[in-house]
């Protein structure tokens, strides 16, 4: 096959466009993949879990979040826009007084924080909270 | 290798039977994410606390898996149900294999 100038220009432009789009896609899909890996693709309900996060965080290095899901066995936290979307997994034992916890997390920039609770009956509940970050917290 | 790691725990000393008490823990640790680079452009190796467990009289209260997205000096707050006098045991597991332990007694009146 002979490569004409027109064909060459065409393929170069397409592959350059594909390359430019790919990194963004992989970042945005990061938490989505991790979430479906955790839930096994099961549907999540929007009730039964509360996630309290600030609307605006001045410093992305320490953002206090609080999560609560009565009747949950496990609560997992994801940060959609971090290089590694996993944040923490809380497993509650028989001596737990409530299925709630508070911690401080790092956020690389404005993004959604996602909390998923695995209930004792095997269903999942999800809560999402958008946090705006003034100074990112990943040393970038 | 994390240095000068100090764990601090705030749990009540007394409670009534069946009471739900709040427990707060803080451990001084850099939680190096493994994403940062030093002045020479080399990646600083990851060094974090990757697991925390709290038990009350050998019954698990919480078992938490921590990832690099947890802030420096990990702060954790949760609640425990106290039915009888006993001891809270707190254990932090470091990436380098170190284990940091702390305990706190509680008496039920």
């Amino acid at each position: 096959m002979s490569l004409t100038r027109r064909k060459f220009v065409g393929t170069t432009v397409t592959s350059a466009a594909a390359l430019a789009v790919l990194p963004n896609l992989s970042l945005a899909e990061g938490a989505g993949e991790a979430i479906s890996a955790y839930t096994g693709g099961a549907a999540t309900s929007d009730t039964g879990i509360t996630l309290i996060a600030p609307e605006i965080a001045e410093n992305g290095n320490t953002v206090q979040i609080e999560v609560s899901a009565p009747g949950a066995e496990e609560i997992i936290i994801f940060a959609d826009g971090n290089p590694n979307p996993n944040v923490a997994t809380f497993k509650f034992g028989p001596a737990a007084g409530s299925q709630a916890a508070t911690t401080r997390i790092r956020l690389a920039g404005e993004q959604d924080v996602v909390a998923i609770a695995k209930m004792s009956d095997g269903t999942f509940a999800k809560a999402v909270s958008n946090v705006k970050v003034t100074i990112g917290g990943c040393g970038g | 290798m994390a240095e000068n790691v100090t764990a601090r725990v705030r749990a009540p000393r007394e409670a009534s039977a069946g009471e739900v008490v709040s427990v707060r823990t803080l451990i001084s640790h850099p939680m190096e994410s493994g994403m940062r680079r030093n002045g020479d452009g080399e990646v600083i190796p990851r060094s974090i606390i990757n697991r925390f467990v709290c038990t009350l009289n050998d019954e698990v209260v919480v078992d938490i898996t921590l990832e690099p997205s947890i802030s420096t000096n990990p702060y954790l707050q949760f609640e425990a149900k106290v039915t009888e006098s006993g001891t809270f045991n707190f254990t932090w597991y470091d990436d380098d294999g170190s284990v940091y332990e702390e305990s706190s007694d509680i008496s039920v009146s």
Side-chain angles (χ1 to χ4, degrees):
Chain A
M1 178 186 115
S2 65
L3 185 68
T4 63
R5 183 180 173 277
R6 188 161 295 276
K7 267 187 192 162
F8 175 75
V9 169
T11 45
T12 319
V13 168
T14 340
S15 42
L19 275 178
V21 168
L22 268 176
N24 292 334
L25 266 181
S26 62
L27 268 186
E29 300 280 308
E33 267 175 32
I35 290 168
S36 44
Y38 180 70
T39 59
T44 53
S45 75
D46 294 334
T47 52
I49 181 166
T50 322
L51 172 67
I52 302 170
E55 212 169 289
I56 299 172
E58 285 195 3
N59 183 354
N61 275 311
T62 49
V63 182
Q64 182 148 331
I65 59 156
E66 191 181 333
V67 67
S68 157
E73 272 180 358
E74 240 178 77
I75 299 177
I76 187 159
I77 313 281
F78 295 103
D80 210 3
N82 277 7
N84 173 0
N86 291 57
V87 176
T89 312
F90 300 91
K91 288 193 187 91
F92 300 99
S98 65
Q99 281 68 40
T102 302
T103 189
R104 294 175 188 150
I105 68 173
R106 289 178 176 138
L107 295 174
E110 180 185 344
Q111 58 179 290
D112 286 336
V113 176
V114 183
I116 297 193
K118 187 185 188 181
M119 298 302 181
S120 45
D121 59 3
T123 59
F124 294 94
K126 179 168 120 173
V128 182
S129 181
N130 184 268
V131 182
K132 292 182 175 61
V133 178
T134 316
I135 305 166
C138 284
Chain B
M1 184 72 195
E3 286 165 15
N4 299 326
V5 175
T6 322
R8 273 180 286 168
V9 166
R10 180 150 301 186
R13 301 269 167 213
E14 288 172 6
S16 52
E19 194 181 336
V20 171
V21 300
S22 178
V23 179
R24 291 184 283 164
T25 74
L26 183 74
I27 185 164
S28 60
H29 193 283
M31 292 294 277
E32 194 55 67
S33 67
M35 299 274 176
R36 298 198 310 153
R37 287 170 188 277
N38 64 14
D40 301 328
E42 292 154 357
V43 172
I44 306 169
R46 174 183 137 155
S47 168
I48 67 165
I49 303 265
N50 55 45
R51 186 171 172 227
F52 166 80
V53 179
C54 170
T55 59
L56 173 58
N57 297 334
D58 298 325
E59 273 204 330
V60 175
V61 180
V62 282
D63 183 339
I64 304 172
T65 310
L66 304 123
E67 307 279 350
S69 289
I70 295 289
S71 299
T72 304
N73 303 336
Y75 168 82
L76 298 163
Q77 184 189 334
F78 47 86
E79 290 182 315
K81 189 169 191 170
V82 186
T83 47
E84 54 185 353
S85 300
T87 311
F88 281 110
N89 279 306
F90 307 92
T91 320
W92 291 261
Y93 297 87
D94 198 309
D95 267 354
D96 66 15
S98 312
V99 174
Y100 314 106
E101 286 177 290
E102 194 69 43
S103 66
S104 170
D105 293 329
I106 188 160
S107 62
V108 168
S109 48

